[in-house]
Amino acid sequence: MCGIAGFAGGFWPALAQKMNAAQKHRGPDGDGVFEDPEAGIGLAHVRLAILDLSHAASQPMHSADGRFVLVFNGEIYNFRELRSKLESGWVFRSSGDTEVLLAGLALQGPSFISQLNGIFAFALWDRKHRKLMLARDPLGVKPLYWTEPKRGSLVFSSEIKSILLHPDLTPAPDFYAIQEHLARGHASGTRTAFKGIERLPQGAILSWCARDRKAQVVLCEPPDLGANTETYEASVEDLRTAVAEGVRRQMVSDVPVGTFLSGGLDSSTITLLASKHAEQPIQCFTISYPSSENRIDQYVDDLPYAREVADVSGLPLTNIEIKPDVAGLLPQLIAHMDEPLVDPAIITCYLICKLARERGVPVLLSGQGADELFAGYPRYPAVEMTRVFERLPMGLRRVIARLAYSMPAGLEGRSGAGIRRARRVLLDVDKSADARFMAYASAQCDSAITGIFSPEVRAEIGGRHSAEYSFQLMESSGVLGGNRYINRDLADYLPNHNLLYTDKMSMAVGVEVRVPLLDPAIVNLARNCPFEYKCRGKITKRIFRDAVRTLVPESILTRPKAGFGAPYRKWLRYDLKEMWFDIVDASSIRRRGWFDPAALDSIRACSDSGREDLYMLQWAVLTVELWARAFNLS
C-alpha cells in the first residue's frame, strides 16, 4: 500500500514533493518523484513496503527502455501467476507485484487490467505518446481523486489534501455532498464534499493526452454473469471453496499479517481461515467499552465472542477498551478523512490500526464486504418484511407512520433501544419499497437535515432529495427485488463509506487493510445468486452462514448483528456535552453560515429529552464543523 499523486498540463516546481509530504503517513518506508517539465507532468509516490522490501521495488518505477513510468497503490494478489505469463517478454528486476503491473500494462495495454486480482489505484505515464492513464479497482477498495484545476490541466491523488496544494485550486464546499453526509454519512457517486473534486469511479480508467489536454473517463462494466442455474447446495459448496481460497491468496506478504476480530461472522471466518495459512501465529485485535457506556446505544458486546474465536484458533487477542476521551481524536481523524464522513467507527478503526502498527503488524485482514454481498444489514429483511403493509390502504399506512412518529426514540435501556428499532421500521411504511430501503439506509430524514441548514444553504439545495443518486442507481440497474438494493450498496455505500474510512484510518498510521471477502470469485458468485439465497425472512447472509458452518462456532453463527462503532449517543448526551457546545458555538456557526444555531439547539434538546433520536445528526454536525475548520472553509 502506498500513496500516489501527480499532475499534468503544466509544470509547477516542487509540487510533486509537496504532494508527497501531505500524505507521507501513507508511505513511511520511502518516497520518490518523477518530473518532466517539458511535458508538463509530475508523478509522486510514498511507499509502505509490503512485498519486495528492496530498493528494486521503489517507485516511481520505470520500464527498462524508459518509455513507461508507474506509480501504484495497492496489492495484486495473483502477481506470481501473471508474472509467469509475462516472463517471455520482460526481464524482471524485482520480485514484487509493482513490476508485474508495469510489465503487463507495457506489453498488453489497458486490457491487462481485467486480469488483475487485487486492490489498486495507479497512474501510468507513456513518455512516447505523452499519455497518462489512471485506473481504480472494480470495487473501489483504494481511493483515487482527481480534478481539472483549469482547462487543459489535471491533478490527482490518493488523498484530497494533496490535490488542494495545486496553485490553481481554491477549496469550496459542495452542499449537495454535505447533505448526503448528514443523511447517510458519506457523499454518493463521484461527488466529494469539495466542489469540483471527484472520485474516479470504481473500475474506471481515465485517459489524458498532452495533444488535446482532455480527460476522458471510461467505465469498465462487470461481465454479465447470467442467471445462476446451480442449486442452493451447489452454490454453498462453491462459496465455501471461494472463501477459503480468497483468504489464502491474500495472505501473501513479506511482513507480518494480523486480523480485525470483532467476533462477528465475517471477521471470525477470516481469522479462522487465516490461522490455517499463517507460518506463525497471527495477532488479532478487537475493541470493547465499559458496560456503563452502553446505557443508551445498547450495542451487543463483541468481546466474549472475539475471545471464543481466539481461543478456538489458538491466536493471541488484543483488546482496546474505548472510553469517551477518544473523541478528542476526532479533529485529527477528520483531517485524515479529507471529508466529513459520519461514523464513530473511524475512531475504533484508527485505534486498532495504530496498535497493530506499534505491535509490528503492518497488514490487517478485514471482513468488510460480506454484508453488502450477502444482505447482512437489517435493512434488507426490513424492506422485505414491510412489504405486507403494501396490501393496506394508503390512508391506514399513513396512520401507522404517524403513530410510529409519536413513539419516543431516545430513551435509555433495552426498552428504549427496542422502541427505537420498531419506530425506525414503521416510520416509512407509507412509502415505496425503494424509499423504505433508503430510509433504513439513512440516519436521518431529509426534513430534519434541511431544518438545520441556514436559509442560504437551504436555497442552494432547493428541493433535492439526499438519496437522488441512489434512486437513479437502483432504477437504472433494471434489477428487481432484494438484489436491487444489494447492487446499490455495492456501488455506493461500500466504496464511499466502509472502504473509504478503512483506507484513510489504516493508512493514517501506515497499515494496509485487505478485504478477502471481496475476492473476485466471491463477488461474482454473490452477484450471480438469487436474493433468497442471501436473505430469507429474518435470516441474513444465509448462503454465507451455511458455507462456513463447519468452520465457525455455532455461537458465532447465531449471535446478533452488531455494528463496528462506538456508544456515541451516551457520549453526546453526557461525556461530550462540553465539546458539542464548544464546536457549535452560536457565533462561530453564524460566522460560517452553514447551519441555523437555533435549529441545532432544538435537535440537541429533542435528543436529550428522549423524544427523538437525533444523536447521529448531532455527530454529523460535529464532523462537518471539524472538517470545515481543518480545511479553512467558510
Side-chain angles (χ1 to χ4, degrees):
M1 293 297 177
C2 307
I4 65 172
F7 56 85
F11 188 75
W12 293 267
L15 177 58
Q17 290 88 340
K18 291 178 182 177
M19 295 178 82
N20 265 351
Q23 54 182 12
K24 178 64 178 176
H25 48 274
R26 297 186 69 92
D29 300 324
D31 61 77
V33 300
F34 165 79
E35 295 176 321
D36 187 339
E38 183 180 349
I41 184 81
L43 301 178
H45 182 268
V46 290
R47 183 185 184 195
L48 174 61
I50 302 297
L51 292 172
D52 188 350
L53 311 185
S54 72
H55 180 71
S58 296
Q59 301 182 47
M61 184 174 283
H62 302 248
S63 59
D65 61 4
R67 175 179 170 181
F68 295 100
V69 187
L70 173 73
V71 288
F72 159 54
N73 169 32
E75 299 289 354
I76 307 302
Y77 302 120
N78 63 335
F79 76 97
R80 291 194 176 105
E81 299 94 309
L82 295 173
R83 176 178 175 136
S84 67
K85 299 176 182 178
L86 297 168
E87 285 177 332
S88 60
W90 190 273
V91 178
F92 284 89
R93 298 166 291 172
S94 64
S95 62
D97 57 348
T98 302
E99 192 176 3
V100 173
L101 177 60
L102 175 61
L105 293 171
L107 295 172
Q108 300 179 19
S111 64
F112 181 68
I113 297 173
S114 64
Q115 302 176 49
L116 302 177
N117 181 327
I119 53 179
F120 55 84
F122 66 80
L124 181 76
W125 173 242
D126 182 342
R127 300 177 74 177
K128 178 180 178 180
H129 293 129
R130 297 164 69 91
K131 289 184 178 180
L132 179 68
M133 176 174 67
L134 309 181
R136 191 177 177 207
D137 65 72
L139 290 174
V141 179
K142 304 312 297 176
L144 189 57
Y145 301 96
W146 71 285
T147 190
E148 296 175 288
K150 62 181 182 182
R151 188 174 181 179
S153 66
L154 174 78
V155 60
F156 67 90
S157 180
S158 299
E159 299 199 357
I160 295 176
K161 59 180 65 65
S162 287
I163 288 179
L164 294 176
L165 294 171
H166 195 286
D168 291 334
L169 280 175
T170 301
D174 182 329
F175 288 113
Y176 283 0
I178 291 174
Q179 179 196 28
E180 292 169 349
H181 275 283
L182 295 176
R184 282 173 303 287
H186 63 91
S188 290
T190 61
R191 191 185 300 276
T192 74
F194 289 96
K195 188 174 291 185
I197 297 179
E198 298 183 33
R199 301 182 182 95
L200 186 66
Q202 54 269 36
I205 296 174
L206 182 151
S207 300
W208 184 93
C209 182
R211 183 180 64 255
D212 57 18
R213 297 161 66 96
K214 291 182 180 179
Q216 293 184 321
V217 176
V218 176
L219 298 177
C220 302
E221 295 294 330
D224 184 0
L225 303 174
N228 184 357
T229 58
E230 289 193 321
T231 64
Y232 177 76
E233 291 73 19
S235 296
V236 167
E237 289 299 320
D238 288 347
L239 180 59
R240 181 179 293 119
T241 300
V243 170
E245 185 62 17
V247 174
R248 182 201 62 78
R249 186 180 291 116
Q250 296 197 22
M251 291 294 290
V252 59
S253 174
D254 293 332
V255 297
V257 176
T259 70
F260 288 87
L261 179 56
S262 68
L265 179 61
D266 312 330
S267 67
S268 298
T269 298
I270 297 295
T271 299
L272 291 166
L273 287 172
S275 68
K276 296 182 176 183
H277 299 292
E279 296 180 358
Q280 57 186 6
I282 60 176
Q283 295 189 51
C284 310
F285 300 88
T286 193
I287 61 155
S288 66
Y289 37 83
S291 58
S292 59
E293 299 298 309
N294 207 18
R295 55 201 287 189
I296 303 178
D297 299 85
Q298 294 294 304
Y299 282 124
V300 177
D301 187 4
D302 283 333
L303 187 56
Y305 300 98
R307 282 178 175 156
E308 180 180 2
V309 173
D311 290 343
V312 168
S313 58
L315 298 177
L317 174 67
T318 300
N319 173 53
I320 304 171
E321 187 173 73
I322 306 295
K323 296 182 179 179
D325 58 1
V326 300
L329 291 169
L330 267 178
Q332 172 191 348
L333 302 188
I334 294 300
H336 274 300
M337 280 301 311
D338 284 333
E339 296 191 72
L341 190 138
V342 185
D343 196 330
I346 67 173
I347 300 174
T348 52
C349 183
Y350 172 84
L351 290 174
I352 285 179
C353 292
K354 181 174 182 290
L355 182 59
R357 182 74 192 192
E358 292 169 354
R359 296 285 177 87
V361 183
V363 177
L364 290 174
L365 304 183
S366 166
Q368 283 194 341
D371 285 324
E372 290 82 2
L373 288 173
F374 300 107
Y377 296 116
R379 55 179 173 262
Y380 297 113
V383 171
E384 296 304 309
M385 289 188 291
T386 52
R387 288 187 186 276
V388 65
F389 290 99
E390 296 174 6
R391 304 172 188 169
L392 301 177
M394 180 56 72
L396 182 54
R397 291 164 63 185
R398 287 172 179 157
V399 168
I400 294 172
R402 284 197 296 270
L403 290 173
Y405 182 76
S406 67
M407 299 165 67
L411 299 179
E412 298 185 8
R414 289 187 179 181
S415 60
I419 293 171
R420 186 162 56 244
R421 286 191 288 268
R423 181 183 191 269
R424 184 170 174 78
V425 170
L426 296 174
L427 200 56
D428 296 284
V429 296
D430 59 336
K431 295 182 173 61
S432 68
D434 284 3
R436 289 201 307 278
F437 177 80
M438 289 313 302
Y440 300 152
S442 303
Q444 300 299 334
C445 63
D446 277 14
S447 60
I449 294 166
T450 304
I452 65 171
F453 278 134
S454 67
E456 294 79 11
V457 174
R458 278 201 296 271
E460 182 169 337
I461 292 174
R464 178 183 184 267
H465 197 291
S466 67
E468 179 181 280
Y469 174 82
S470 291
F471 289 132
Q472 292 173 355
L473 197 64
M474 291 187 291
E475 188 63 32
S476 64
S477 72
V479 177
L480 301 176
N483 278 338
R484 180 183 184 91
Y485 308 126
I486 284 179
N487 288 349
R488 177 265 166 191
D489 279 353
L490 282 171
D492 195 28
Y493 180 68
L494 180 63
N496 295 333
H497 185 275
N498 285 349
L499 295 175
L500 181 63
Y501 83 70
T502 300
D503 172 87
K504 295 294 182 66
M505 294 299 94
S506 60
M507 295 305 290
V509 291
V511 167
E512 170 180 306
V513 174
R514 299 176 177 179
V515 281
L517 298 181
L518 292 177
D519 182 271
I522 300 173
V523 172
N524 290 340
L525 191 152
R527 280 178 166 160
N528 201 26
C529 281
F531 185 71
E532 57 267 25
Y533 283 16
K534 306 165 191 175
C535 180
R536 175 180 284 180
K538 294 182 180 180
I539 301 176
T540 58
K541 290 193 284 197
R542 177 186 171 215
I543 187 173
F544 186 75
R545 291 178 196 278
D546 287 340
V548 301
R549 189 169 295 279
T550 58
L551 173 73
V552 177
E554 185 67 22
S555 59
I556 304 300
L557 287 168
T558 58
R559 66 163 291 191
K561 171 72 176 173
F564 184 61
Y568 65 93
R569 292 182 178 89
K570 188 264 182 181
W571 288 358
L572 280 169
R573 183 179 292 188
Y574 300 105
D575 309 277
L576 305 184
K577 185 175 182 178
E578 184 176 342
M579 179 183 179
W580 164 265
F581 286 111
D582 175 60
I583 292 176
V584 301
D585 172 72
S587 60
S588 63
I589 292 294
R590 289 193 185 94
R591 187 164 53 249
R592 198 176 320 281
W594 297 1
F595 296 114
D596 179 342
L600 296 184
D601 288 342
S602 177
I603 65 169
R604 172 84 195 191
C606 283
S607 291
D608 285 353
S609 69
R611 170 70 184 84
E612 292 274 8
D613 179 24
L614 297 173
Y615 288 110
M616 187 53 78
L617 186 55
Q618 289 182 57
W619 194 271
V621 170
L622 288 181
T623 61
V624 170
E625 282 294 310
L626 289 170
W627 171 74
R629 295 182 184 188
F631 292 93
N632 298 312
L633 296 167
S634 58

